[in-house]
Amino acid sequence: MKSFLNISDLSSVELRSIIDSARSRKISRKNLNKSAPDQDKPFEGKSLIMIFEKPSTRTRISFDIAVKQLGGSTIILNPTGIHYGKGDETIKDTAKVLSEYADIVMIRTDAHKNLVEFKKNSSIPVINGLSEQSHPCQIMSDILTFEEIKGNISKKTITWIGDGNNNMCNSLIEAAAKFDFNLKIGCPVKYKPNKKIIKWAQKNNANIKIFGKPKDAVVNSDCIMTDKWVSMNDKVNKKAKKKSLKNYQVNKKLMSFAKSDAIFMHCLPVGRGEEVTDEVIDGKQSVVWTQALNRVHAQKSIINWCLT
Ligand code: CP
Ligand code: NVA
């Protein structure tokens, strides 16, 4: 049974096939309406259950549209409205029950261990729709977006600015190893990537450099990425964290040190005026709306990969 919990779980060949098929499927339906099914309807008669332990706009809607385009249906569950590991029914039992009803499950969780526990007891594939540790679906769609604009990501330089120890940065580090791009991370010492992931990256020959000065991380880069300074349910002193990251804002000046044709990426939702200025996110180099759209196409491909 295949599941999609982390980019590091898949081989480079598998990940490449997901991106390539997302791209060709997207091209082949370019004249269809947004929610019209693809001609082959590979998910016809099948359903995806989604469980959201925390809020979501893009993940919720893009998975729903992805499944419509694949010819299937979705069921969205709120964990407070079902029996879900809260004493009355274990996650193990929920996983066994949902495996009888649907063909695939997507979970957004506050505790990555819930995904692992669910997967262990499920007989259908499980997709990570964001955990506190990783956000693999977002990074896969970001690679799709990058390649549509800039060509193959291999050997290109991507810069991450801001919180180096969050779910997005973790998945980006894993992707750097698997897709063979150079990753430069600009972050304060306090928010450096965690040691475990850096050790994994080194073992997997990832080309990653960490810089204290944001400018040094941005020089010669093809793409600048950032994320909210305080993630959902981040158990920190928000004011103090924002203060430590205040010099890591992506603004016009910082963008000017990157390649002149560099793109700006953000997974959204955005803290306008904090990690990025309006001028940058609304500017010509920003590709954030295409990133949101491409969640649909990357996730269709992830669903297909899980089921084959
Ligand atoms: N980027 C992303 O996952 O957005 P949502 O939180 O709206 O799903
Ligand atoms: N790091 C952010 C990503 C949101 C899509 C968070 O976890 O809140």
Side-chain angles (χ1 to χ4, degrees):
M1 179 57 54
K2 289 180 186 168
S3 276
F4 190 78
L5 297 200
N6 278 317
I7 287 180
S8 58
D9 299 337
L10 279 73
S11 70
S12 297
V13 172
E14 287 172 302
L15 293 161
R16 171 50 58 200
S17 77
I18 290 174
I19 297 294
D20 290 349
S21 110
R23 196 158 174 195
S24 60
R25 241 180 208 284
K26 181 179 175 184
I27 292 168
S28 69
R29 60 167 290 118
K30 71 173 188 303
N31 296 322
L32 294 178
N33 286 334
K34 287 173 180 145
S35 288
D38 290 347
Q39 218 167 16
D40 59 345
K41 298 184 188 162
F43 207 52
E44 191 167 26
K46 294 184 180 170
S47 62
L48 166 84
I49 287 180
M50 295 190 254
I51 301 175
F52 288 95
E53 290 179 30
K54 38 189 184 182
S56 165
T57 300
R58 282 141 288 265
T59 305
R60 184 183 304 255
I61 298 167
S62 60
F63 264 105
D64 196 61
I65 295 168
V67 167
K68 280 198 176 80
Q69 291 188 2
L70 293 172
S73 58
T74 52
I75 303 163
I76 301 181
L77 299 175
N78 179 339
T80 59
I82 57 167
H83 304 286
Y84 180 78
K86 294 226 172 66
D88 53 352
E89 189 163 70
T90 60
I91 287 190
K92 173 177 171 172
D93 293 340
T94 306
K96 286 182 184 293
V97 171
L98 297 189
S99 298
E100 297 297 322
Y101 294 141
D103 300 277
I104 188 157
V105 176
M106 187 238 75
I107 302 175
R108 167 166 287 197
T109 180
D110 253 340
H112 194 87
K113 65 174 176 12
N114 289 353
L115 273 165
V116 175
E117 173 72 2
F118 200 101
K119 179 190 157 191
K120 204 170 99 194
N121 294 290
S122 160
S123 57
I124 58 174
V126 183
I127 297 176
N128 175 1
L130 181 148
S131 74
E132 82 291 8
Q133 287 181 20
S134 54
H135 198 4
C137 292
Q138 179 71 51
I139 293 297
M140 288 299 279
S141 51
D142 293 350
I143 288 168
L144 174 64
T145 304
F146 180 94
E147 293 199 336
E148 282 179 342
I149 301 163
K150 299 245 145 244
N152 196 305
I153 198 165
S154 168
K155 306 294 177 207
K156 297 280 196 321
T157 301
I158 312 297
T159 294
W160 177 265
I161 295 290
D163 185 359
N165 189 14
N166 77 2
N167 45 12
M168 279 290 293
C169 191
N170 288 344
S171 291
L172 189 63
I173 290 172
E174 294 179 9
K178 297 286 183 178
F179 287 93
D180 192 31
F181 57 83
N182 308 317
L183 176 60
K184 303 206 285 180
I185 299 170
C187 60
V189 177
K190 201 166 170 205
Y191 296 105
K192 267 169 60 168
N194 73 60
K195 287 197 180 98
K196 206 170 139 201
I197 191 135
I198 289 298
K199 226 170 152 182
W200 177 90
Q202 282 162 347
K203 217 172 121 193
N204 286 275
N205 302 317
N207 188 352
I208 296 176
K209 290 195 177 82
I210 299 175
F211 301 85
K213 288 190 186 140
K215 180 184 163 186
D216 294 342
V218 163
V219 167
N220 227 12
S221 190
D222 297 290
C223 170
I224 313 303
M225 270 191 185
T226 188
D227 188 9
K228 275 243 161 119
W229 284 340
V230 180
S231 283
M232 285 180 271
N233 293 4
D234 206 350
K235 305 223 173 5
V236 287
N237 177 328
K238 292 186 184 158
K239 227 172 136 184
K241 186 168 183 185
K242 287 182 181 182
K243 200 171 162 202
S244 349
L245 284 160
K246 78 173 191 332
N247 294 329
Y248 294 79
Q249 181 189 67
V250 181
N251 49 37
K252 206 175 161 195
K253 181 153 184 235
L254 191 64
M255 284 299 290
S256 75
F257 299 117
K259 285 187 183 164
S260 57
D261 61 351
I263 56 174
F264 170 75
M265 284 189 161
H266 192 305
C267 64
L268 308 176
V270 58
R272 285 177 178 262
E274 293 190 340
E275 73 271 13
V276 61
T277 57
D278 283 348
E279 201 175 16
V280 169
I281 196 161
D282 297 328
K284 279 201 184 112
Q285 286 164 286
S286 170
V287 298
V288 298
W289 316 118
T290 309
Q291 285 178 263
L293 166 67
N294 277 340
R295 294 292 302 275
V296 172
H297 299 289
Q299 285 154 197
K300 284 170 74 179
S301 202
I302 291 166
I303 292 169
N304 278 337
W305 174 82
C306 284
L307 292 173
T308 48

